[in-house]
Amino acid sequence: MKVFNYAIAGEPVQVKVPESYDDLLMFWAWFVEADNRGPIGLDTETTGLDVYSPGYKLRTVQFGDRHTGWVILWELGGYFHEFALRALRHGKKFQIHNAPFDWAVLDRHAPGMSIELLAQKTIDTRLKAGLVDPRQPQEGGRGTALKPLMAWYVDPKAPDTQGDLTAVFRSLKLTKATGWAGIDLMHPTYLLYAGLDPIFAARLDTCLDRELDMLEVRPRLVQYEHEIARICAIMQRKGMVLDVDYTRELDERLASEALMHEAACLRYGVTNVNAPAQLREALKGMGEVWSADELTATGALKVDKAVLHRFADLDFQTGKPLGTRKPNPLAEAIIKSKRAGKWRSAYTQTFLDVMDSDGRLHSFVNSMQARTGRMSITRPALQTLPSGDAMIRRCLMADEGEVVVSTDFAAVEMRVLAALADVKRMKEAITNGEDLHAFTARQVYGEGFTKQHRKVCKGVGFSKVYGGGAATTARQTGAPLADVQRAMTAYDRVYPEIRRYSNRLQRQAYDNGFVGVSITGRRLPVDRDRVYAVTNYAVQSAARDCLGQSLINLENAGLLDTLRLPIHDEVLASVPKAESADYAKAIEKCMTFDLMGVPIEAEAEVGKRSWGSLYGAEV
DNA sequence: ACGACGCGCCAC
DNA sequence: AAACGTGGCGCGTCGT
């Protein structure tokens, strides 16, 4: 048995690495005793992050309490598998930092271990940390990574067990990308750090419990987030079918398109369309002039899509020629080349890179990412596929014999606002099934309101949700500033509760140390200089919890297996073609409920095999 | 080789 | 009095 002595917060801790059967028996004796005492820290080390890629391997499984960490060398197989599996099966409760990752790894690489099995005995310290403070480091928070949390709660000098290893990798001529797979299993720093992680999880859990209790965060909320995380992890495991042939073909098409337009750019001396400085100089040299507001945050001349479209005499939205000036051929070539290049690197290439051996994509779902609890989806970011053109979404498909169903909440953020702020007339309009923005326009402008009036009211409604002002709303709706200002004043007269609610929220946030509280009890930290944003946080957060509740409803209705992606106010599913209408109805039902007297409703759209079919694709 | 950051663009 | 919100991520540049 290898034994490493270390100290955490001034207390001695030990990391033990069983090397023989007898060593494993000692581990087992410890485990049984520790398991009776309480939850056990659990972690895994693997060859990287691409859990579903063909060569992926689980290397070690670690268990620990506050003082002892055990590294089970899974990679050695045999008895090591047997004891790790026995512990995973036998353990009553595990503390894991960022459990969905370890669930996915164990589900795929440890026989008999499933997300379902592990989830019911998991405490995720990352979820708990996010409920204490969801802010990322760049937002002034601690973030929810193990290192900063350990530094804050346990020991400022605790090692960065992930980060510090990259220095070790370098000394071994490995990189961050190759180190996790390439480092020798018996490397002492690797083993020590592997063994410390479950000790960290165990210690963090205690501290976070104390903090959650002190902050009066509801235990029910903690439990709810664990359920959502499990549902999202199961969705991730299922993944989505990639139309590999189509994607390859599209990738090639985009590549040649990019190449062609790059060649055109080269004629004007632009060697790289992704280097803004180059574009700036070339366009300046052609006599292009920027307006005073076309500057970046640091004061440089912008060369973004809007500016390029203006130079190319194209409509920003439709891409159609405007006929207002002589189009700049370079600007046009830049637009086309950048689009093709970006779509390739962000989408088609990534799809082909990360797909598993069965041609499925398992995007990683972070069920509680944003400050408001909103989810995010990465590798690849399937929440951000272009919607104006079907070609990218066309790559993703329902399972064989199935079709895609996309179910959206109807104007969920406006409805949530109506519910939270108890906006009397808005609630009536929604309950009566009226077109909300038209209803508002009628109140503001009278019976003879125009389409443009409705548009302005819609814009003002969104500005209420986002906290925007008249100037921004005017820019976005294209309406004159004075009109928007008048509409805003009238809006406040029609729905006076919104302003009152917003003021109340802001006052409460001030009094509560710049933290708002959502309807589900979620803490919503606000920036001191942007307290007004608390209204948006409350609305966005409640809308997110409508999605969360829907996911739970969908599971209870036996529909979890059909779910593919959560996209803020939408759930994407794959259902048998023959019964698609019934499934659509069932999904709608799960996403329909009452929120404080306001109906939250959803509408399902049944497509064909590809996701793109809902955006105009043929198949 | 890598992290931070600027810039830009995709979504809801 | 006025204040648009939340993310992911690729690429280039710069500094270490």
Side-chain angles (χ1 to χ4, degrees):
Chain A
M1 179 119 67
K2 278 195 164 42
V3 178
F4 300 90
N5 290 301
Y6 205 79
I8 296 295
E11 288 177 35
V13 300
Q14 270 195 333
V15 167
K16 299 184 175 183
V17 187
E19 294 176 287
S20 67
Y21 190 82
D22 285 347
D23 291 348
L24 286 166
L25 286 176
M26 286 171 69
F27 158 69
W28 184 245
W30 169 86
F31 186 89
V32 170
E33 192 270 323
D35 187 48
N36 280 328
R37 230 185 311 127
I40 291 178
L42 170 64
D43 188 32
T44 61
E45 298 300 334
T46 68
T47 53
L49 293 173
D50 43 346
V51 182
Y52 300 92
S53 76
Y56 193 80
K57 283 198 184 73
L58 171 57
R59 303 198 69 188
T60 69
V61 182
Q62 309 99 268
F63 302 90
D65 60 13
R66 297 175 58 83
H67 296 100
T68 313
W70 294 82
V71 182
I72 308 302
L73 302 169
W74 180 269
E75 198 171 283
L76 299 184
Y79 295 135
F80 295 91
H81 280 200
E82 192 185 301
F83 278 87
L85 288 173
R86 197 190 288 181
L88 288 168
R89 270 197 305 269
H90 189 278
K92 287 195 271 291
K93 210 85 187 172
F94 291 119
Q95 297 144 319
I96 312 178
H97 195 73
N98 191 19
F101 177 76
D102 300 281
W103 290 343
V105 170
L106 293 168
D107 183 288
R108 193 157 177 98
H109 300 277
M113 283 303 119
S114 64
I115 295 172
E116 288 84 347
L117 197 108
L118 289 164
Q120 60 186 358
K121 44 189 186 181
T122 294
I123 297 165
D124 189 338
T125 46
R126 189 163 174 270
L127 286 181
K128 283 187 180 176
L131 291 173
V132 170
D133 187 342
R135 290 174 302 168
Q136 319 217 337
Q138 63 270 25
E139 298 173 313
R142 292 190 297 263
T144 53
L146 198 51
K147 161 75 181 164
L149 291 171
M150 277 301 289
W152 179 265
Y153 286 108
V154 184
D155 181 354
K157 291 196 291 293
D160 181 355
T161 51
Q162 311 283 305
D164 289 359
L165 268 180
T166 56
V168 177
F169 293 162
R170 243 195 307 273
S171 73
L172 298 169
K173 299 229 186 315
L174 295 166
T175 70
K176 212 181 161 184
T178 59
W180 296 103
I183 192 167
D184 189 284
L185 183 66
M186 301 310 283
H187 190 286
T189 313
Y190 182 65
L191 291 176
L192 169 64
Y193 283 8
L196 288 176
D197 275 342
I199 300 178
F200 288 0
R203 285 179 174 249
L204 259 187
D205 189 37
T206 318
C207 299
L208 288 166
D209 274 346
R210 209 177 305 132
E211 179 110 42
L212 288 167
D213 194 46
M214 201 179 74
L215 297 170
E216 297 180 346
V217 175
R218 302 169 194 166
R220 180 69 191 92
L221 179 61
V222 180
Q223 187 198 333
Y224 164 78
E225 288 304 340
H226 279 77
E227 286 174 40
I228 309 249
R230 172 181 49 81
I231 290 171
C232 289
I234 291 169
M235 257 192 262
Q236 175 191 329
R237 176 182 63 194
K238 187 84 183 186
M240 230 178 145
V241 175
L242 182 70
D243 187 335
V244 180
D245 290 341
Y246 170 82
T247 306
R248 289 216 173 102
E249 191 188 303
L250 175 60
D251 186 60
E252 275 164 35
R253 207 164 76 218
L254 290 171
S256 67
E257 213 175 285
L259 213 63
M260 186 176 84
H261 297 299
E262 273 163 30
C265 292
L266 201 58
R267 287 201 285 278
Y268 300 92
V270 172
T271 56
N272 191 336
V273 292
N274 288 315
Q278 244 188 62
L279 306 184
R280 206 144 43 220
E281 289 315 307
L283 289 163
K284 239 194 316 194
M286 293 172 86
E288 293 297 351
V289 181
W290 277 257
S291 65
D293 59 346
E294 290 172 325
L295 300 175
T296 69
T298 54
L301 295 177
K302 262 189 175 170
V303 265
D304 64 5
K305 214 168 148 183
V307 172
L308 289 170
H309 271 69
R310 190 165 66 74
F311 292 164
D313 192 43
L314 298 170
D315 183 84
F316 179 76
Q317 306 288 340
T318 61
K320 298 253 160 56
L322 289 169
T324 55
R325 55 160 280 176
K326 187 170 174 291
N328 182 316
L330 173 60
E332 209 171 340
I334 295 169
I335 292 167
K336 288 184 171 154
S337 144
K338 277 176 83 163
R339 195 181 101 138
K342 150 115 191 163
W343 284 19
R344 230 189 131 209
S345 64
Y347 307 125
T348 53
Q349 292 259 288
T350 317
F351 293 169
L352 294 168
D353 277 354
V354 305
M355 71 175 181
D356 70 11
S357 52
D358 297 324
R360 295 186 84 98
L361 288 184
H362 305 265
S363 270
F364 196 92
V365 182
N366 188 334
S367 62
M368 207 182 78
Q369 167 64 31
R371 196 187 288 217
T372 56
R374 256 194 178 195
M375 302 177 186
S376 76
I377 297 186
T378 62
R379 283 177 293 127
L382 293 189
Q383 280 171 323
T384 69
L385 303 191
S387 57
D389 190 309
M391 70 167 83
I392 299 292
R393 291 186 196 237
R394 163 70 185 78
C395 296
L396 296 159
M397 306 212 294
D399 284 40
E400 181 133 29
E402 303 195 341
V403 293
V404 293
V405 174
S406 164
T407 313
D408 283 47
F409 285 127
V412 68
E413 289 192 328
M414 288 307 295
R415 289 180 186 225
V416 163
L417 178 63
L420 295 183
D422 194 19
V423 189
K424 188 166 167 285
R425 296 173 78 182
M426 200 180 270
K427 285 170 90 168
E428 283 168 10
I430 294 167
T431 306
N432 295 337
E434 300 207 38
D435 172 346
L436 183 59
H437 303 306
F439 174 83
T440 309
R442 193 177 305 119
Q443 307 307 307
V444 171
Y445 299 101
E447 276 307 329
F449 74 91
T450 63
K451 245 182 157 172
Q452 175 66 14
H453 287 146
R454 183 187 177 279
K455 194 178 164 193
V456 169
C457 287
K458 188 175 174 182
V460 173
F462 281 130
S463 80
K464 293 293 169 193
V465 170
Y466 289 139
T472 318
T473 311
R475 203 175 335 117
Q476 298 222 326
T477 54
L481 181 63
D483 288 7
V484 173
Q485 281 167 334
R486 264 198 304 279
M488 279 190 150
T489 308
Y491 199 95
D492 285 338
R493 260 204 307 279
V494 179
Y495 305 125
E497 299 94 334
I498 298 177
R499 186 172 274 249
R500 284 206 292 271
Y501 172 69
S502 180
N503 290 339
R504 193 170 78 234
L505 274 184
Q506 293 183 55
R507 211 168 42 242
Q508 284 169 350
Y510 271 113
D511 294 346
N512 194 27
F514 295 93
V515 177
V517 178
S518 86
I519 185 176
T520 53
R522 189 187 305 284
R523 291 167 55 75
L524 302 168
V526 292
D527 302 337
R528 284 163 188 263
D529 53 343
R530 289 164 64 243
V531 178
Y532 67 87
V534 73
T535 310
N536 171 260
Y537 294 171
V539 171
Q540 191 183 101
S541 182
R544 182 281 188 184
D545 288 332
C546 287
L547 178 70
Q549 187 56 53
S550 299
L551 293 179
I552 291 173
N553 295 347
L554 284 158
E555 183 187 31
N556 289 339
L559 292 164
L560 176 51
D561 198 46
T562 70
L563 304 186
R564 292 297 178 271
L565 290 172
I567 314 172
H568 306 312
D569 68 342
E570 171 192 352
V571 171
L572 188 71
S574 168
V575 308
K577 191 176 176 185
E579 300 112 302
S580 59
D582 294 339
Y583 275 96
K585 281 264 174 316
I587 294 170
E588 278 177 351
K589 201 172 151 215
C590 292
M591 294 176 69
T592 300
F593 43 83
D594 175 276
L595 179 71
M596 304 167 81
V598 175
I600 301 294
E601 292 165 314
E603 197 180 342
E605 205 184 337
V606 179
K608 298 174 190 163
R609 179 89 195 267
S610 91
W611 193 5
S613 67
L614 295 169
Y615 296 80
E618 292 292 323
V619 287

